[in-house]
């Protein structure tokens, strides 16, 4: 198990992230270690949930999970976010080793209130991409360059990445993190999010087919 390091700055490019503290986090699947980081420019807080020894240079089972309050905490069926978070933690617990980076990039980067405005537009017939555009936002405002320091903090250089989003694979490779394998997270498709998931596939390039039909 990773020991809790002393408070120290970990800097990366334009987003200086400072490690703050670590505590145990018991969950239904395992007791993870919860690590807090703060963006020194925006004040935004980011988290990492780790299990087992992940600083040994080996390949680490990992997920980059963007915050989704409605899905992660309020059980919304409009998306698959909460189910993906739960499935990731379950997979890590089953292996006894891995990390979930919980990144505060709500609503593909537009924030909680704007996400609710987008939901209102979706209620009126817009899809998730059209709603963002009507609000004056790009399809996906999330960035990952600033999180290189979190990977460095844990000594992670190679991952098996749990994601349906090829942009995350490309983002990590740009950071110098080797994505040894992409593991699909095809969970919780239901009547409330079927159109949303189809839109992510057709307009955002998410990979929703079975893993053995994909070129990863």
């Amino acid at each position: 198990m990773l020991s809790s390091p002393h408070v120290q700055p970990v800097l990366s490019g334009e987003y200086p992230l400072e490690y703050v503290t670590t505590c145990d986090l018991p969950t239904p699947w395992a007791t993870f270690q919860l690590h807090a980081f703060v963006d020194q420019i925006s004040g935004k807080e980011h988290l990492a949930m780790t299990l087992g020894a992940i600083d040994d240079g080996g390949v680490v089972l990992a997920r980059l999970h963007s915050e989704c309050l409605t899905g992660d905490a309020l059980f919304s069926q409009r998306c698959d976010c909460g189910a993906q978070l739960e499935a990731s933690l379950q997979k890590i617990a089953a292996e006894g080793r891995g990390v979930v980076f919980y990144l505060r990039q709500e609503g593909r980067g537009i924030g909680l209130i704007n996400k609710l405005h987008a939901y209102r537009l979706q209620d009126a017939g817009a899809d998730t991409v059209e709603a963002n555009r009507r609000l004056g936002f790009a399809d996906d405002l999330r960035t990952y360059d600033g999180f290189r320091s979190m990977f460095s903090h844990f000594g992670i250089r190679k991952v098996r990445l749990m994601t349906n989003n090829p942009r995350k694979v490309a983002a990590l490779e740009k950071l110098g993190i080797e994505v040894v394998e992409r593991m699909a997270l095809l969970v919780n498709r239901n009547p409330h999010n079927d159109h949303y998931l189809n839109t992510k596939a057709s307009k955002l390039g998410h990979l929703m087919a079975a893993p053995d039909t994909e070129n990863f």
Side-chain angles (χ1 to χ4, degrees):
M1 184 72 71
L2 268 174
S3 60
S4 301
H6 296 296
V7 175
Q8 55 185 309
V10 282
L11 306 179
S12 176
E14 60 184 300
Y15 300 101
L17 296 180
E18 181 179 295
Y19 165 79
V20 180
T21 191
T22 295
C23 66
D24 286 342
L25 183 70
T27 75
W29 313 287
T31 296
F32 289 79
Q33 283 196 302
L34 185 63
H35 312 264
F37 298 79
V38 176
D39 183 324
Q40 293 299 288
I41 293 177
S42 70
K44 192 167 287 188
E45 300 156 334
H46 303 283
L47 300 170
M49 295 176 66
T50 66
L51 184 67
I54 61 172
D55 57 351
D56 59 2
V59 180
V60 177
L61 182 60
R63 173 161 174 78
L64 294 179
H65 188 89
S66 295
E67 177 185 42
C68 176
L69 180 67
T70 51
D72 298 340
L74 301 180
F75 315 108
S76 172
Q77 297 298 290
R78 300 183 70 132
C79 64
D80 55 346
C81 303
Q84 287 185 318
L85 177 60
E86 182 173 332
S88 298
L89 295 174
Q90 288 177 327
K91 290 178 182 294
I92 290 171
E95 291 205 3
R97 180 174 177 271
V99 58
V100 170
F101 293 100
Y102 195 86
L103 311 177
R104 308 294 299 281
Q105 302 195 101
E106 181 80 48
R108 297 201 302 275
I110 67 176
L112 179 60
I113 299 302
N114 284 320
K115 184 171 83 168
L116 298 188
H117 287 313
Y119 278 174
R120 183 66 179 267
L121 292 173
Q122 291 172 45
D123 290 342
D127 65 37
T128 181
V129 171
E130 292 167 348
N132 271 32
R133 291 175 180 175
R134 290 184 192 178
L135 292 172
F137 297 110
D139 299 349
D140 192 340
L141 290 174
R142 290 175 295 179
T143 60
Y144 302 96
D145 289 353
F147 300 110
R148 184 199 308 269
S149 56
M150 296 179 78
F151 284 86
S152 298
H153 183 78
F154 297 110
I156 297 172
R157 296 185 294 275
K158 299 179 180 180
V159 297
R160 294 159 58 217
L161 188 65
M162 295 180 282
T163 187
N164 302 325
N165 186 353
R167 295 183 184 185
K168 290 183 179 179
V169 176
L172 288 194
E173 291 177 341
K174 180 181 177 182
L175 295 181
I177 306 299
E178 181 181 352
V179 180
V180 175
E181 178 185 3
R182 185 192 70 82
M183 301 176 64
L185 276 178
L186 304 173
V187 291
N188 195 38
R189 182 180 284 269
N190 65 72
H192 300 288
N193 68 22
D194 188 63
H195 182 55
Y196 164 79
L197 295 179
N198 290 338
T199 300
K200 288 209 298 185
S202 63
K203 293 189 175 182
L204 297 175
H206 288 220
L207 301 166
M208 298 300 185
D212 60 359
T213 68
E214 297 163 358
N215 297 318
F216 277 88

